[in-house]
Amino acid sequence: MNNEKKAVPFVVVKRLPRYYRYLGELLRQGVTRISSGELSEKMGVTASQIRQDFNCFGGFGQQGYGYNIEKLYNEIGAILGLQHGYKTIIIGAGNLGHALANHSKFEKRGFTLVGIFDKNPDLIGTTINRITVSPMEELEEFCSRHKVDIAILALPKSAIDVVVPRLVGLNIKGLWNFSYTDIEVPPHIAVENVHLSDSLMTLSYRITQTNQDGER
Amino acid sequence: MNNEKKAVPFVVVKRLPRYYRYLGELLRQGVTRISSGELSEKMGVTASQIRQDFNCFGGFGQQGYGYNIEKLYNEIGAILGLQHGYKTIIIGAGNLGHALANHSKFEKRGFTLVGIFDKNPDLIGTTINRITVSPMEELEEFCSRHKVDIAILALPKSAIDVVVPRLVGLNIKGLWNFSYTDIEVPPHIAVENVHLSDSLMTLSYRITQTNQDGER
């Protein structure tokens, strides 16, 4: 196995979280080995795609024997950087921020929510998932004291231009952006934009295909 | 140009919503033509990838002249099936359902929200984005009267097993599933699962890469 992890193409990286989820489920079910054929059937991906993807980071597969699930799970987690553990804050305690704060799965993946911020006086001081909503004035002091890694932006577009520049100077490593707007940050900060409408458009495509098939 | 739209590989389809968004923005800015090189720079995808993708559905490009943005935008929209227009309901009026109901972009893409349902008496009768939350008892009658196409499942895992079987008999065409659990439906119903943790894991990967780069 090699450690040239930078060589994994991004198109493969985008598929890794899904593999990671499936392998995690198998582990919880007590399964220890799986063939690419079985994994293929479970995930609806071709076995050859799976083999190609796993070859990008050293292979693992033994012909006719299958993959060691735990090893593969840990290796994929390491490529994704999940072993680091991240301290996160949510900015915006509206409905979306609220929903994200209550999403327990993130914690399991190593993302620990340490703070929630809002500028709305009605929300400041309320508690979501055991965390008290703090005023925006405390953002800088909080991030430096808690060494926050990731800020989750559950904000409207209009607030982004004010909030993002404040975050840039705070040693934040990544922004998870739900504002549906592009943001500009220096290259040392990673950004992942969530565009829910992309997923809805994919559903529209699936509906079109499903109905065409049905009519034949 | 051919009408063999079924030939577009799904890996290309998954990229279409993003092209669609970018082209829509360009149209709104009054741009009428763009080269694959310029589009490549804007989107952070290689120009050769863009050309390959667009070739899947007939090409369009004229060497040294660029793409007709409006034509391309409409063609991609048609492949995605957006011209059909869809009536949607949200099941689950909690924080997530609330956030989704207030997301105005969906309407622009042809997804019209016609109803919101919940079983919580405290939420029934309240109004979100001009729509009154209905009790679950009215689901069947409502779907058949309004010819609902898509149900958005903003429900906890525990509610899924009760709600999904009720939806199956209602001529619903697609489910947009935010329950973080796999659901089983007959093949005439399309399903798109949203796994927000996949996006968060991708952010973790980006952070790892960004920091490696920075240390060099």
Side-chain angles (χ1 to χ4, degrees):
Chain A
M1 203 180 323
N2 65 61
N3 283 313
E4 291 290 327
K5 288 177 187 169
K6 297 212 63 170
V8 182
F10 194 64
V11 60
V12 178
V13 168
K14 290 293 275 183
R15 286 194 283 267
L16 294 184
R18 192 153 171 259
Y19 287 126
Y20 190 77
R21 274 194 284 115
Y22 270 78
L23 295 169
E25 274 168 37
L26 290 168
L27 274 184
R28 275 186 292 283
Q29 290 163 18
V31 187
T32 56
R33 289 205 157 260
I34 193 163
S35 69
S36 55
E38 289 167 297
L39 193 57
S40 151
E41 206 169 299
K42 267 191 177 299
M43 296 192 56
V45 186
T46 65
S48 106
Q49 166 104 81
I50 290 177
R51 281 190 298 266
Q52 269 179 41
D53 284 354
F54 292 175
N55 276 337
C56 288
F57 45 91
F60 295 106
Q62 283 160 289
Q63 209 67 32
Y65 200 84
Y67 296 103
N68 175 324
I69 295 177
E70 192 177 355
K71 210 170 152 189
L72 193 53
Y73 178 79
N74 290 334
E75 177 71 5
I76 292 177
I79 294 172
L80 292 171
L82 301 179
Q83 76 284 11
H84 298 308
Y86 296 102
K87 286 190 185 173
T88 69
I89 55 170
I90 294 175
I91 306 185
N95 290 300
L96 181 63
H98 215 112
L100 292 169
N102 282 322
H103 189 19
S104 59
K105 282 235 173 135
F106 301 151
E107 200 96 2
K108 280 189 219 153
R109 304 272 188 254
F111 301 87
T112 310
L113 183 64
V114 295
I116 304 175
F117 291 82
D118 206 289
K119 65 170 187 177
N120 181 344
D122 294 342
L123 296 173
I124 294 165
T126 63
T127 299
I128 306 174
N129 192 12
R130 297 185 305 277
I131 291 173
T132 305
V133 178
S134 305
M136 284 301 289
E137 289 74 24
E138 295 177 9
L139 182 69
E140 282 78 4
E141 199 270 326
F142 186 97
C143 286
S144 107
R145 183 155 42 92
H146 290 274
K147 302 200 190 320
V148 171
D149 300 300
I150 292 174
I152 302 174
L153 306 176
L155 291 166
K157 253 183 184 179
S158 54
I160 282 293
D161 293 343
V162 183
V163 171
V164 170
R166 285 178 63 181
L167 290 166
V168 166
L170 298 177
N171 277 320
I172 298 260
K173 291 178 186 147
L175 301 177
W176 199 26
N177 178 21
F178 282 83
S179 70
Y180 308 106
T181 186
D182 285 342
I183 52 179
E184 288 196 20
V185 291
H188 69 273
I189 301 178
V191 178
E192 174 76 9
N193 298 305
V194 180
H195 286 283
L196 291 177
S197 61
D198 286 10
S199 163
L200 192 51
M201 288 192 261
T202 308
L203 176 61
S204 169
Y205 176 82
R206 289 187 202 275
I207 289 173
T208 313
Q209 294 302 303
T210 304
N211 287 0
Q212 278 179 9
D213 293 347
E215 282 158 14
R216 276 165 194 205
Chain B
M1 205 178 322
N2 65 62
N3 283 312
E4 290 292 328
K5 287 177 189 167
K6 296 213 61 169
V8 181
F10 193 63
V11 60
V12 177
V13 169
K14 290 293 276 184
R15 285 194 283 268
L16 293 184
R18 193 153 169 258
Y19 288 126
Y20 190 78
R21 273 194 284 114
Y22 270 78
L23 295 169
E25 274 168 37
L26 289 168
L27 274 184
R28 275 186 292 282
Q29 289 163 19
V31 187
T32 56
R33 289 204 156 261
I34 193 164
S35 69
S36 55
E38 289 166 296
L39 193 57
S40 151
E41 206 169 297
K42 266 191 178 300
M43 296 192 55
V45 187
T46 66
S48 105
Q49 166 104 81
I50 290 177
R51 281 190 298 266
Q52 269 178 41
D53 285 355
F54 292 175
N55 276 336
C56 288
F57 44 93
F60 294 105
Q62 283 160 288
Q63 208 67 33
Y65 199 85
Y67 297 104
N68 175 325
I69 294 177
E70 193 177 354
K71 210 169 152 189
L72 194 51
Y73 178 80
N74 290 335
E75 178 72 5
I76 293 177
I79 294 173
L80 291 170
L82 301 180
Q83 76 283 12
H84 298 308
Y86 296 102
K87 287 190 183 173
T88 69
I89 55 169
I90 293 175
I91 306 185
N95 290 300
L96 181 63
H98 215 111
L100 292 170
N102 282 321
H103 190 18
S104 59
K105 282 237 173 133
F106 301 151
E107 201 95 2
K108 280 190 220 154
R109 305 269 187 255
F111 301 86
T112 309
L113 182 65
V114 294
I116 305 174
F117 292 82
D118 205 290
K119 64 170 188 178
N120 182 344
D122 294 342
L123 295 173
I124 294 164
T126 62
T127 300
I128 306 173
N129 192 13
R130 298 185 304 277
I131 292 172
T132 305
V133 178
S134 304
M136 284 301 289
E137 290 73 24
E138 296 177 8
L139 183 68
E140 282 78 3
E141 199 268 325
F142 186 97
C143 286
S144 105
R145 183 156 41 94
H146 290 274
K147 303 201 190 320
V148 171
D149 301 299
I150 292 174
I152 302 175
L153 306 175
L155 290 166
K157 252 184 183 179
S158 54
I160 282 294
D161 293 344
V162 183
V163 171
V164 170
R166 286 178 63 182
L167 290 166
V168 166
L170 298 177
N171 277 320
I172 298 259
K173 292 179 186 145
L175 301 176
W176 198 25
N177 178 21
F178 282 82
S179 70
Y180 308 106
T181 187
D182 285 342
I183 53 180
E184 289 196 21
V185 291
H188 69 273
I189 300 179
V191 178
E192 174 76 9
N193 298 305
V194 179
H195 286 284
L196 290 177
S197 62
D198 286 9
S199 164
L200 192 51
M201 289 192 260
T202 307
L203 177 61
S204 168
Y205 176 81
R206 288 187 202 274
I207 289 174
T208 314
Q209 295 302 303
T210 303
N211 287 358
Q212 279 179 11
D213 292 347
E215 283 159 13
R216 275 169 193 202

